[in-house]
Amino acid sequence: MARFTDKTVVITGAAGGIGSALALLLRAEGARLVLHDLSPDALAALPAELAASAEVVHVAGDGTDDEVQARIVTAAESLGGVDGFAPAAGIYLEAPLAELSFAQWRQTLSINLDAVFALTSKLLPVLNDNAAIVTFASVAGERGSRGHAHYAASKGAIVAFTRTLALELGSRGIRANAVAPGIIRTRMTNDSVSKHGDEWAAGTPLGRHGEPEEVARAVAFLLSPDSSFITGVQLDINGGLYMA
């Protein structure tokens, strides 16, 4: 399959478990990529298929920073404008509400929500007609999550933002959808899985945690023409955890 030949996709959090799995999948299907992550070392450690080249541009730095966002936009424009955008960067920190500081609250919303709004806004002028946006929500945004009020709030808000994008950009053929992963085996969830993994798996209808590639395949579908009449939806990729 080559659903992304001559298409440019921007991925933030590209060195993370889900981001890198998505980048590998899209590159195998012909996509040009703008890959962002906080650390240049993390980007340099990506598989050889994702090394910086004429068709794969690396942008390192704090994704909440205006200058870093501007470099992402410039890179995307140099590759022909944006046909797909997957803001996968995020943080997942544990803190019970009674111990949650305002600084921790703002840090999580800044990365998980504010940066998505800011970069989306900056990409609008280089967003090609019929492009697709896939944001990252979470089962926590649907159900709440003990010890993760800041994370759950950011992910619930992402869905409302995404549906508004679908409403406002639909006249250009641009689609916007969200995916809601459950517990996926990545570095970001290692600590929480080590504490609660067995309990969470037992509460999931499929009885296990997910893998990054399972999320990547769903995101690729929503970015591709295969989902050409789907917009404004949240796709749950959590083994049925949202029902438990």
Side-chain angles (χ1 to χ4, degrees), residues 131 175 222:
R175 297 177 296 106
L222 291 173

Side-chain angles (χ1 to χ4, degrees), residues 11-241:
I11 303 172
T12 68
I18 294 172
S20 59
L22 177 62
L24 282 168
L25 178 56
L26 298 184
R27 186 64 181 146
E29 292 197 35
R32 299 182 294 258
L33 299 172
V34 178
L35 303 180
H36 162 266
D37 209 274
L38 178 64
S39 165
D41 291 340
L43 289 170
L46 287 169
E49 301 96 315
L50 302 177
S53 67
E55 293 197 333
V56 179
V57 179
H58 291 182
V59 179
D62 184 345
T64 67
D65 183 82
D66 285 342
E67 189 273 333
V68 174
Q69 293 170 3
R71 286 196 282 127
I72 293 171
V73 174
T74 298
E77 189 172 21
S78 74
L79 293 179
V82 177
D83 300 292
F85 177 37
I91 58 172
Y92 180 70
L93 305 176
E94 187 161 350
L97 187 59
E99 301 170 13
L100 179 63
S101 70
F102 186 69
Q104 290 170 316
W105 172 274
R106 280 304 323 149
Q107 180 190 22
T108 294
L109 267 70
S110 176
I111 294 170
N112 292 357
L113 179 63
D114 298 348
V116 177
F117 159 73
L119 184 53
T120 302
S121 298
K122 291 181 174 68
L123 286 172
L124 285 179
V126 298
L127 201 61
N128 295 328
D129 289 350
N130 303 309
I133 299 168
V134 179
T135 61
F136 287 77
S138 169
V139 66
E142 299 176 69
R143 305 183 348 157
S145 179
R146 288 186 180 88
H148 306 98
H150 43 348
Y151 180 81
S154 71
K155 294 305 183 178
I158 276 288
V159 177
F161 175 65
T162 303
R163 288 179 173 150
T164 301
L165 290 177
L167 288 168
E168 294 197 7
L169 302 179
S171 62
R172 294 178 53 196
I174 296 170
R175 297 177 296 106
N177 296 290
V179 293
I183 306 303
I184 309 299
R185 294 184 182 277
T186 67
R187 290 191 303 274
M188 188 174 79
T189 61
N190 276 347
D191 288 345
S192 292
V193 168
S194 67
K195 295 178 184 177
H196 312 292
D198 291 344
E199 172 191 349
W200 288 343
T204 301
L206 287 183
R208 65 175 178 87
H209 305 309
E211 300 297 334
E213 292 76 15
E214 294 178 298
V215 180
R217 288 193 292 269
V219 175
F221 164 71
L222 291 173
L223 289 172
S224 80
D226 291 344
S227 59
S228 57
F229 202 52
I230 300 174
T231 195
V233 307
Q234 174 180 293
L235 177 61
D236 286 283
I237 314 168
N238 47 48
L241 182 60

